Amino acid sequence: MSLSIITDTITPALAKMIRECRNPKGILEAMGLALVSLTKRAFTDPSIRPAAWPARKGIATNPLLIRSTLLRRSIRIVNTTSDMVQVGTDRPYAAAHQFGTDPYTIRPKTMRALFWAGAAHPVKSVRHPGLPPRPFFPFDSAGQMTPAARRKVE
């Protein structure tokens, strides 16, 4: 008589993988966290961005999007379901920086005129030339992920 004990270590691992594939929410969350990390790094690492940030007039460095760090700190996973993950921010000015803006008029909200240090006199409105795009999410204008971001998320 012979007795042999066989321990099956592959079947439990395969069963776990099958369960995870049926509900990929955990995988999507991990991908979302990778994208959040990349987006935050893009503020200081230009190689992650889809395009260079244009220089600001009269300023040698470009601290516009990194000065207060509020925008960078606001990047997070907004929503996750069984088939998608959304990464975003609650900052109302984020889209203006990501995509740029057309020229627009600035008018006072609470006073009758605008005034700032160095202005010759108060004015009723100012025509802003618009903002150039300063993309920080690693997606190009067509919505495609940058190659560096794609490698990291995959």
Side-chain angles (χ1 to χ4, degrees):
M1 172 169 168
S2 74
L3 174 65
S4 63
I5 299 175
I6 300 173
T7 305
D8 183 0
T9 58
I10 295 177
T11 303
L14 288 174
K16 181 181 177 190
M17 290 171 79
I18 290 169
R19 283 192 308 274
E20 288 176 354
C21 288
R22 286 190 189 133
N23 184 8
K25 191 172 182 178
I27 295 168
L28 290 170
E29 284 178 356
M31 293 171 75
L33 288 173
L35 185 57
V36 166
S37 174
L38 279 167
T39 303
K40 288 181 177 185
R41 278 187 32 221
F43 282 84
T44 55
D45 184 353
S47 68
I48 298 171
R49 299 181 208 138
W53 290 347
R56 295 175 63 205
K57 293 179 184 174
I59 299 175
T61 59
N62 196 351
L64 182 66
L65 296 185
I66 59 176
R67 185 172 36 209
S68 74
T69 72
L70 288 175
L71 180 58
R72 182 178 69 203
R73 287 185 294 150
S74 73
I75 307 297
R76 66 185 186 286
I77 292 177
V78 176
N79 188 18
T80 307
T81 66
S82 62
D83 61 351
M84 68 91 183
V85 62
Q86 284 181 316
V87 173
T89 173
D90 61 353
R91 300 286 116 188
Y93 51 85
H97 287 295
Q98 178 74 21
F99 304 112
T101 66
D102 292 331
Y104 57 94
T105 301
I106 301 172
R107 291 185 174 83
K109 291 182 181 179
T110 58
M111 305 299 278
R112 292 189 306 175
L114 298 169
F115 185 79
W116 57 93
H121 54 81
V123 295
K124 291 194 183 267
S125 66
V126 175
R127 186 78 177 146
H128 191 284
L131 294 172
R134 290 184 175 90
F136 50 92
F137 280 106
F139 291 88
D140 63 20
S141 60
Q144 297 300 312
M145 197 178 286
T146 61
R150 180 175 295 284
R151 283 190 301 274
K152 183 74 172 175
V153 170
E154 285 177 349

